[in-house]
Amino acid sequence: MDIDLRPALPEDIAACVDLRGRTRENAVPPERLAALGITVASWSGQVSRGELVGHVAWAGEVMAGYAFGDVGSGEVVVLALLPAFEGRGLGRRLLLRLVADLRARGHRRLFLGCGSDPALRSHGFYRRLGWRPTGRTDRFGDEELELLPDATAP
């Protein structure tokens, strides 16, 4: 099936919230997101105001995945895929598009929070793409990784 990758729109956010609760690792259901202050209204508002930039992947009528970043800080806020779309290069494609967007907005250093357990898929995924540990943890206790301008992705 063909995958349509495109910039995220505010009207995509309800599907993003739903998908976030259905990921293989680190699933966060809508109720937990709401407890963190992340709702369809707040998230779509950030997209509308240009505070978050993102890309979405649709397989027909099914959202397959997405990636969003904070325009102000250069943080990759979230990358999420449905399990059925893992292992196809889609996560890499979404992340590379987001990195290009954040770089185009002037960010030289990008960063994200990632679980420190090597058994997690994300642990090796980001490192293979050139992200490196900073030695710091974020407010959720995740390891902070950074991508510097001279890093090259395979």
Side-chain angles (χ1 to χ4, degrees):
M1 173 174 279
D2 288 334
I3 304 285
D4 177 34
L5 266 68
R6 63 168 173 74
L9 302 171
E11 47 270 19
D12 293 316
I13 303 306
C16 292
V17 168
D18 176 65
L19 186 151
R20 190 67 180 90
R22 298 186 297 130
T23 59
R24 180 184 315 272
E25 293 179 347
N26 198 23
V28 183
E31 302 78 24
R32 174 76 176 119
L33 289 174
L36 295 169
I38 303 167
T39 63
V40 171
S42 68
W43 191 347
S44 62
Q46 289 177 297
V47 172
S48 293
R49 292 187 300 273
E51 297 166 7
L52 287 179
V53 63
H55 290 272
V56 293
W58 287 89
E61 299 295 314
V62 175
M63 179 178 279
Y66 59 81
F68 283 87
D70 185 299
V71 171
S73 68
E75 177 183 11
V76 172
V77 177
V78 63
L79 171 63
L81 296 177
L82 285 178
F85 295 93
E86 292 175 355
R88 299 180 183 188
L90 182 57
R92 182 178 189 271
R93 289 172 54 204
L94 285 165
L95 182 63
L96 291 177
R97 284 185 183 210
L98 179 59
V99 165
D101 271 351
L102 292 171
R103 293 266 193 245
R105 287 167 169 78
H107 291 285
R108 295 181 47 76
R109 176 190 177 268
L110 304 179
F111 68 100
L112 56 81
C114 179
S116 59
D117 182 352
L120 295 172
R121 291 173 54 88
S122 59
H123 187 272
F125 171 78
Y126 291 113
R127 284 165 174 78
R128 282 189 302 277
L129 294 176
W131 295 77
R132 298 292 171 244
T134 64
R136 295 184 293 270
T137 56
D138 68 13
R139 66 188 183 279
F140 300 110
D142 288 329
E143 179 179 32
E144 183 182 276
L145 303 180
E146 67 183 357
L147 184 69
L148 300 174
D150 58 347
T152 56

